Amino acid sequence: MTKTLENLEIPSLNQIQKSTLQTAEKESEIISIWFEALQEVCLNMLALARTSYS
């Protein structure tokens, strides 16, 4: 089964931009969650260090 050029669905620039934006938003959300978790860990380590040395 061969596909001709007319049968291929080529996404429009608008579709590509929308897809790229959605991907970037998801990645941004994941990075934000990671940084929140990292901040929590650092704050807990700081609190632990303070109680250990006092």
Side-chain angles (χ1 to χ4, degrees):
M1 184 171 171
T2 59
K3 287 189 175 183
T4 61
L5 202 52
E6 295 97 29
N7 292 347
L8 290 176
E9 287 188 29
I10 300 170
S12 69
L13 183 58
N14 191 27
Q15 288 172 318
I16 293 170
Q17 287 173 332
K18 185 186 281 186
S19 174
T20 303
L21 183 61
Q22 289 171 342
T23 301
E25 287 172 348
K26 287 177 189 171
E27 289 175 353
S28 177
E29 187 178 340
I30 291 168
I31 291 168
S32 178
I33 291 168
W34 270 102
F35 273 108
E36 286 176 23
L38 183 60
Q39 182 181 20
E40 186 85 18
V41 168
C42 290
L43 289 173
N44 286 338
M45 288 174 65
L46 185 61
L48 186 61
R50 283 183 177 161
T51 57
S52 297
Y53 289 112
S54 59

